[in-house]
Amino acid sequence: MRLPARSGSLAQIRRRLARAASGRAVVVGIPLLWLLLFFLVPFLIVLKISFSTALLAMPPYAPLLEWVGHHIAALRVHLSNYQLLWSDPLYLDSLLYSVRVAAGSTLCCLLLGYPMALAIARAAPARRPLLLMLVILPFWTSFLLRVYAWIGLLKDDGVINNVLRSLHLIHQPIVMINTTFAIYVGIVYSYLPFMVLPLYANLEKHDGALLEAAADLGAHPWRAFWRVTMPLSLPGVMAGFLLVFIPAVGEYVIPSLLGPANQLMIGRVLSTEFFENRDWPVASAVAIVLLLLLLAPIVIFQRYHNRELEAER
Amino acid sequence: MSRPPIRPPIRPRRALLLPLLLALGLAFLYLPIASLIVYSFNASRLVTVWDAVHSPTLKWYGELFHNSQILEAAWLSVRIAVMNATGAVILGTLAGMALSRFGRFGGRALLAALTTAPLVMPEIITGLSLLLLFITFEQLTGWPAQRDAATITLAHISFSISYVAVIVQARLAGSDGSLEEAALDLGARPSVAFRRITLPLIAPALLSGWLLSFTLSWDDVVISQFVAGPGSSTLPMVIFAKVRLGVSPDVNALATLLITLVAAGVLLSTLLLQRRERSRARALALSQEG
């Protein structure tokens, strides 16, 4: 019997290695190039345009580099867009408002999602997949339509007001639609699965013996929860928090459908600048500021996420 | 120092609080969908005012099938979603394989960062940056001359890759790669080892990655709005334009159809996957006995 591959001249082995290495380069290279081209390079273009000024042309911004004579290029870098963002309170206000609303609704999401994740993790193992499925299922259905459903529930002659009125609990409708409260509801509702899943993934791995030990040592279940379960679940809390908070800051659909018209979240400001005012440079500057603000949370999320994937191996 | 008296161990009693909170949370998740469905059968144009005389009715469903704008948008969305899912599965599998099987390599940190960031990146930033990319392309090369289904698909693939990569990585993490190594040691070429061993191993991940990418694209409105051109309105874009003006009964009917379809699809594929896994486990057990 002949052992293939293993027995071979040095040259053969070297050829095999070279072929494997080039195969690897293709496997790494294709997605890497794609993501560089369609994810990283676009940010650089946004950065470039944020230093430009608006023009009535197509595309509606001035080039940074212009040939003014033979072999003479003029580099025109404008900081005016960033000055505008700093000096006009509209932008700073909506940025702070977005961060506040996102942080608040993420906290609500955590308060609602934690008990749900814990309940699933402590349910009988045979029932967990079904319960988990029930939490994930809405995430598969259209986000837009689920936000839309809340218009029908929250508006002045909507389902909630109608029910309360028919029970004679209220006489005047409670104004809920187009308020900050409605944005809270929309964000908590849409992002709840993103909170429950990482929490469950963490809680499910806890060793039940720890809680038994706590109980044996006389700890009340509440105390055992605060001293054992809660500290161990902090990485899951962190992941869930970031997974909800980061996209919520830039949320556009929820505030457009449910939020107030006089207080805009930053996503709507960006969209208005771009589509209605056709001021691409200012819209780009807003995007860059938002990105810088979210950079630290994104990096922390990446660290955590990659560590989780490594740990599973 | 006096020590607290040792209490008798507390019997783990059937806690009611947690299941109750879970039930409340699930009710919160499903009641809005239920109300959407109920009111799709309401005859009144005022959606939330129940017209007890003429309801339930299927008239909004009938109107849906005569609305050519919605039908065309739906067909465009299906085509984009299929192309997106296929492209994202190919690229995402490559990325996932590289990240979980290749150990350390140059550019690993960059690839890892580029596959994680789109998971949380606000859509409005991604949308704006991709549109500006396409416009810069057009200035430099003349392509794309117009923005249409192709630009939407490219944009969708770019954020769907991450989801597929994560699913594939999670699946590959369950095995250590020794099977592939054995195949390579026995002289199989890498492509053969991939086809005969890795591919069957990650097949469930590819299926769920494909389905997830399909729905991500099928649902996307923000990014599509940026990179779509005139005449290429996807279904979510049409719905968004409609619902910004308020609730409308035909959207309820459409939502009911879409939600039931998706729910049925997800349930079916989960059951299929579970059965497949079970029969695999059985076969494995049998082969070890024999």
Side-chain angles (χ1 to χ4, degrees):
Chain A
M1 209 170 75
R2 199 171 64 90
L3 275 180
R6 276 267 166 101
S7 57
S9 71
L10 211 61
Q12 267 178 322
I13 291 172
R14 203 171 281 152
R15 258 205 307 278
R16 281 184 72 86
L17 280 177
R19 206 168 48 212
S22 70
R24 283 186 161 209
V26 171
V27 173
V28 175
I30 293 175
L32 188 59
L33 275 181
W34 182 287
L35 288 168
L36 281 175
L37 185 60
F38 287 103
F39 194 73
L40 199 61
V41 171
F43 289 141
L44 301 178
I45 298 174
V46 175
L47 185 67
K48 185 194 96 173
I49 293 173
S50 76
F51 290 117
S52 175
T53 50
L55 275 187
L56 271 177
M58 186 62 209
Y61 59 88
L64 293 191
L65 209 56
E66 225 173 350
W67 296 102
V68 288
H70 249 353
H71 305 294
I72 307 168
L75 182 66
R76 299 207 175 87
V77 175
H78 300 265
L79 291 173
S80 53
N81 303 313
Y82 292 96
Q83 274 164 358
L84 178 72
L85 297 196
W86 183 247
S87 57
D88 189 336
L90 167 86
Y91 300 101
L92 214 56
D93 273 357
S94 70
L95 197 63
L96 290 177
Y97 175 69
S98 306
V99 172
R100 215 168 50 229
V101 168
S105 46
T106 309
L107 208 62
C108 295
C109 223
L110 179 65
L111 292 178
L112 186 64
Y114 199 105
M116 291 177 73
L118 194 60
I120 301 176
R122 297 211 178 147
R127 282 169 67 187
R128 284 180 210 161
L130 175 72
L131 293 172
L132 208 55
M133 168 85 159
L134 283 175
V135 173
I136 300 173
L137 196 57
F139 160 75
W140 284 84
T141 63
S142 169
F143 166 75
L144 178 62
L145 291 173
R146 281 182 296 129
V147 176
Y148 164 76
W150 280 100
I151 306 180
L153 291 175
L154 295 177
K155 57 187 195 130
D156 292 353
D157 57 346
V159 177
I160 293 177
N161 274 317
N162 284 350
V163 168
L164 290 179
R165 222 170 349 194
S166 66
L167 295 174
H168 298 290
L169 289 172
I170 55 166
H171 300 290
Q172 292 296 315
I174 307 170
V175 180
M176 291 178 285
I177 194 77
N178 301 129
T179 61
T180 304
F181 168 74
I183 304 187
Y184 267 73
V185 172
I187 293 180
V188 172
Y189 181 68
S190 309
Y191 288 92
L192 190 59
F194 291 97
M195 182 60 86
V196 175
L197 287 185
L199 280 173
Y200 169 79
N202 172 291
L203 290 168
E204 177 229 27
K205 280 183 251 162
H206 289 194
D207 187 348
L210 289 173
L211 288 181
E212 274 170 38
D216 285 349
L217 293 171
H220 187 268
W222 273 106
R223 196 175 147 84
F225 170 78
W226 282 111
R227 298 293 292 272
V228 178
T229 309
M230 190 65 201
L232 282 174
S233 68
L234 282 180
V237 171
M238 188 73 161
F241 195 91
L242 294 172
L243 211 50
V244 176
F245 174 76
I246 301 171
V249 175
E251 184 52 56
Y252 170 74
V253 170
I254 295 172
S256 301
L257 294 183
L258 304 176
N262 55 357
Q263 173 90 70
L264 298 186
M265 280 182 77
I266 197 73
R268 281 186 78 185
V269 170
L270 194 162
S271 156
T272 310
E273 288 294 350
F274 189 84
F275 287 111
E276 280 156 44
N277 301 346
R278 288 191 62 76
D279 195 332
W280 292 17
V282 167
S284 302
V286 171
I288 293 296
V289 169
L290 182 56
L291 199 58
L292 287 178
L293 184 84
L294 294 179
L295 200 59
I298 291 176
V299 170
I300 299 172
F301 170 74
Q302 292 203 318
R303 284 249 179 88
Y304 169 83
H305 182 80
N306 290 327
R307 216 173 34 223
E308 276 293 287
L309 283 174
E310 308 266 308
E312 272 179 36
R313 277 194 277 164
Chain B
M1 219 172 88
S2 70
R3 289 185 357 170
I6 296 172
R7 272 179 271 169
I10 298 166
R11 291 277 113 222
R13 67 199 157 86
R14 298 294 310 151
L16 279 174
L17 185 64
L18 278 180
L20 189 71
L21 289 173
L22 177 62
L24 278 177
L26 288 176
F28 174 65
L29 281 179
Y30 284 93
L31 281 181
I33 299 177
S35 89
L36 201 69
I37 294 175
V38 168
Y39 282 96
S40 77
F41 299 107
N42 183 10
S44 166
R45 185 163 276 284
L46 289 168
V47 186
T48 50
V49 180
W50 188 259
D51 175 358
V53 184
H54 303 99
S55 308
T57 172
L58 288 174
K59 71 172 174 184
W60 305 117
Y61 291 86
E63 274 192 19
L64 218 52
F65 288 102
H66 293 108
N67 187 333
S68 63
Q69 189 199 14
I70 285 188
L71 291 180
E72 272 168 34
W75 174 231
L76 178 72
S77 282
V78 169
R79 280 181 295 158
I80 292 175
V82 167
M83 288 189 292
N84 163 63
T86 310
V89 161
I90 295 170
L91 290 165
T93 306
L94 293 178
M97 292 248 319
L99 288 173
S100 61
R101 280 288 194 261
F102 286 7
R104 294 176 184 281
F105 57 88
R108 187 183 196 286
L110 184 63
L111 185 62
L114 287 176
T115 46
T116 339
L119 296 176
V120 287
M121 188 60 66
E123 289 174 310
I124 194 111
I125 298 182
T126 315
L128 173 72
S129 64
L130 280 167
L131 172 63
L132 295 179
L133 174 80
F134 288 134
I135 285 176
T136 309
F137 268 178
E138 188 191 346
Q139 284 178 299
L140 294 176
T141 67
W143 180 92
Q146 56 180 24
R147 291 184 297 284
D148 50 18
T151 46
I152 302 177
T153 309
L154 287 175
H156 285 182
I157 291 177
S158 305
F159 69 79
S160 303
I161 292 177
S162 305
Y163 291 86
V164 179
V166 169
I167 295 175
V168 168
Q169 270 177 279
R171 178 79 189 176
L172 282 173
S175 69
D176 60 357
S178 55
L179 285 175
E180 284 103 319
E181 270 166 36
L184 292 174
D185 279 354
L186 290 170
R189 302 209 299 161
S191 59
V192 175
F194 175 77
R195 212 171 50 235
R196 301 284 298 270
I197 293 172
T198 317
L199 208 54
L201 183 73
I202 59 173
L206 299 190
L207 178 62
S208 37
W210 197 93
L211 290 173
L212 184 59
S213 307
F214 184 96
T215 47
L216 287 172
S217 161
W218 173 255
D219 285 347
D220 172 69
V221 54
V222 179
I223 294 173
S224 302
Q225 245 183 359
F226 276 98
V227 297
S232 58
S233 293
T234 61
L235 187 60
M237 287 167 68
V238 172
I239 296 175
F240 190 57
K242 265 176 99 75
V243 302
R244 286 191 95 161
L245 306 173
V247 287
S248 97
D250 49 344
V251 173
N252 279 48
L254 182 62
T256 304
L257 284 181
L258 293 181
I259 287 171
T260 347
L261 266 176
V262 168
V266 171
L267 282 172
L268 202 70
S269 59
T270 311
L271 286 179
L272 271 175
L273 282 181
Q274 267 180 359
R275 180 179 297 173
R276 204 188 110 103
E277 290 295 286
R278 267 205 295 275
S279 64
R280 253 170 78 104
R282 237 191 341 259
L284 204 67
L286 280 177
S287 72
Q288 274 165 356
E289 272 170 31

